[in-house]
Every structure is written in structure tokens, then in C-alpha cells.
Amino acid sequence: MTTRLLGALHQTEDLPHAVRAQGVDLSRHELLGRAAGVAREIAGRRMVAVEATPTLDTMVVVAGALLAGVPVVPIPPDAGELERAHILGDSGAELIDAGPGAVSNDVPDEPDGAAPALVLYTSGTTGAPKGVVISRAALAADLDALAEVWQWTPEDTLVHGLPLFHVHGLVLGVLGPLRIGSRLVHTGRPTPQAYAAAPGTMYFGVPTVWSRVCAAPSEARELSKARLLVSGSAPLPAPVFEDLRALTGQAPVERYGMTETLITVSARADGERRAGHVGLPVPGVETRVVDDAGQAVPPGAEIGHLQVRGATLFDGYLGHGRPERDGWFETGDVATIGADGWHRIVGRASTDLIKTGGYRVGAGEVEDALLLHPAVREAAVVGTPHPDLGEQITAYVVAEGATERELIDFVAAGLSVHKRPRVVHLVDGLPRNAMGKVQKAALR
């Protein structure tokens, strides 16, 4: 791949419809000209921030900042006053207007790959959001790895409607096409109707998106013309995986990553796809699972703490270094790695590894078992304090026509008895964030 981070923008051959958003098209050269205008305006600044609306303007500003070598901080457009003030105050970034600006033919030389490119703020589930500093080299390494495992080429058209302030929507969904050279159609919102109306070869979505696509069979069948449906940002429930396969004729590709590591594990475009599993490490990335004492767990053994190292890792938290040991970054997730190298993500160590009566139980396994019940539409499992067991398995379930006792017995029949929920709460819905992840702290 090219040494330029946004290599496709510099190609001499223009692409008339390189990027489309809100029904407006920009050619490759038009996008480069507008981005170069932004680069000239902000040159020399320490860091800039942009309100990351799902628009062409946001894409232009981010591209312009990357051309100028100025780190850019995307701010969620729905951020509350306190969150916005924290991000701007913590980063010291200057908020710039994302409206139409001047066009320039003067394209600056790109800086060294070690230079910071993005500062993405975490969701703040364990305190105030932290700024994750990601280098240009890490972005390039990850996008090139994904181009290989997904067979992503300039001939592709990527369609998605994801937010532009996360790795999924911004790094993969915008910078990917601008590096690889594929076309991009951003649908504004990731609705089944919008996806079906936008012909493409690749579609990106989070589990909530794919669940809604499956609930709209006629729209789902339109996606059968694509070659790749990619799911990420949260575990894809097995029933949704199977519904997608039935409706589109292909199983989705699942992948795993986080803000601090980018995308590190994925199923392959030309390989097997397994429900509940996220595949193998991408090129340039190593993974391992360790026990509570930090000792490596052999492949095929029990669940443990997932660690990652490689070229895609972040530089550190803004104002701090990168916590690691011998180059290994502790993801905070628990996982299993099979004897064949396939990864299954159990969940967050803080919420999804339940220690009950001397057993270690992954919440995700119990959730998958609950979702196999025909009445269950959503399920979230957590550990709650118990005077005898230490923690008890507690489930929050959206279901119609099922009782608590019926669901407990259903899990006990499919899994080991000690993995059954002791308590099942029947609820109307589960709290989720913008990327579709269940907010388990709110359940507690």
C-alpha cells in the first residue's frame, strides 16, 4: 500500500463519485481540493476538534487535518454540555467550523508516520472519557491489514450509515475508502431502507443495525447482491447471524477491536464464518489469553484475559503513556482462543466474567443460550452480589410469552447447570449506546 495515509486521494485518475453523503457526490479531486483548503487554513495548529456530524463536511475536515499533519478530535454531535466541555478542555483542541471552505490546489507533504493523527475519546464507562492517541502508522497498518483479509479493493463500493466519531464509522468507514480507493456511500442513518436503496459490494453495521435489517426481509434480500456484510462494535447474537445468512445467502463477517487497538481480529472474506466468533488475528497483530496471574493460557483452554500487541496499537492516552507489559496491551476483555486460533470474545472482564460458586462463567455464553429460546428477542447477563456464591448470574431479558422459570430451565438444559441464571428480569428493553452496546452498568 501507499506510504501516504490517504493514498487514494492523490491518484491522478479522478473518480466522479468517490464519496456520497446526504445525496451529494464529491469526486476524488473535489474532495482533495476541499481538504487541501482546510489543511492550509489550520496548518501549524497543535490540535483541532470537529463536530462529527454524518456529513461530507466532517469527512473533508478530517481529511484536511490529516493532510496538514494536525491531530483531529471528533466530537459526537449529540454530546451533552459536560461531555463536550470535558473533551475540549482535556485535549486543548480548537473547535473549527465544518462548513464549506476554500478550495486549494496546494497539497502539503504528509508528515512522518509516527505523528499522531486522531484523538478518539472513549465512552467513559470507567470514569471520565480518555483521549486515545492514534498514529498515522497505526491507521495505515490496520487499514492495509483489513484490505488483505476482506479482499477490499478500489473496485468496491462501501455503504454504511455509522457515526463518524468512532473507529468503526470514521477509521474503517471513511479513512478506509480514502486509503484503499473504493467508493463510499454514507446513508446518514443506518436504516434497512437506506441500505437497501444504496447498491454496494460491502456493508458495515453494528448488531442493532443487522437486527433491524433482519426484521425487514425485503430490504435484507436486497443486500444479497453484496459480497461482504461486516458486523462489529458489539457481539452479534447468533440468531441474527443465522437470520442474515438465511435472508442474504451469506453469513456476516464478524471482527473485533477497540479504540486503543483498532481492529485486531477478524473472519476472512474467503474463509469460514462462525456465529459467536470473531476469527483470527489480522496481519501484523499477535494475541494471547492470560490467567489472573498473567500467565499465558494454552489455546483451547478456559477463558482468560485477552492481550494484544502489534502495529495497530495506540500511542497512549493523551497526557499519559500506553499501559503495557513487554509490548502486550491488556484489552480488559475476556476471551477464548481455540486450538485452531479462532477467537470468541466473552465480554468485558469488569462486567462479563462472572465468578460464581468457584466457577468462572462468561456472560456472553449465557446470553447466547437465552437467545436460542424462540420467545427471547434481547438478553443481557451480569453478575450481582450473592452472600453464598459471591456472584449470582442475573439476566435481563426482552421476551414475549416466556416466564422466568421457563428461561432458567431452558439455559440449564442447554449449558452446565451452574451456568443457569439464578434470577431473570423480564424487561421492555435494554439500555444501549450509539454503537449498540448494552450499557450493563445501567442495568445494575
Side-chain angles (χ1 to χ4, degrees), residues 4 118 192:
R4 286 173 160 171
L118 299 175

Side-chain angles (χ1 to χ4, degrees), residues 194-395:
Y195 276 31
T201 61
M202 301 171 63
Y203 291 79
F204 287 173
V206 300
T208 301
V209 170
W210 295 124
S211 177
R212 291 172 181 172
V213 166
C214 290
S218 61
E219 284 79 5
R221 293 188 184 98
E222 287 296 314
L223 304 189
S224 62
K225 303 168 188 174
R227 68 171 191 85
L228 213 62
L229 309 177
V230 180
S231 181
S233 298
L236 183 68
V240 178
F241 181 99
E242 297 300 342
D243 286 348
L244 266 180
R245 190 207 303 264
L247 288 165
T248 67
Q250 62 168 302
V253 164
E254 294 189 69
R255 88 300 183 281
Y256 164 80
M258 55 192 306
T259 307
E260 291 89 339
T261 67
L262 303 181
I263 306 308
T264 53
V265 182
S266 179
R268 271 46 178 175
D270 59 354
E272 183 183 1
R273 302 166 197 181
R274 302 179 193 171
H277 293 74
V278 292
L280 304 163
V282 303
V285 170
E286 296 177 81
T287 61
R288 70 178 184 183
V289 167
V290 301
D291 59 22
D292 289 344
Q295 299 300 309
V297 175
E302 65 178 31
I303 61 178
H305 303 274
L306 181 64
Q307 296 182 340
V308 174
R309 70 179 177 187
T312 69
L313 263 62
F314 72 133
D315 288 345
Y317 297 109
L318 193 63
H320 304 277
R322 182 174 73 200
E324 63 178 49
R325 178 178 295 182
D326 298 327
W328 291 99
F329 174 70
E330 175 66 62
T331 65
D333 286 321
V334 287
T336 61
I337 301 178
D340 58 1
W342 270 71
H343 290 53
R344 175 183 173 88
I345 307 301
V346 175
R348 298 298 291 171
S350 58
T351 58
D352 295 308
L353 181 59
I354 303 170
K355 298 178 181 179
T356 178
Y359 294 102
R360 291 154 59 93
V361 178
E365 183 180 15
V366 184
E367 290 163 356
D368 287 346
L370 284 164
L371 287 166
L372 292 175
H373 192 287
V376 174
R377 292 191 288 115
E378 296 182 84
V381 170
V382 298
T384 55
H386 189 276
D388 178 48
L389 300 172
E391 287 184 298
Q392 70 176 6
I393 299 172
T394 301

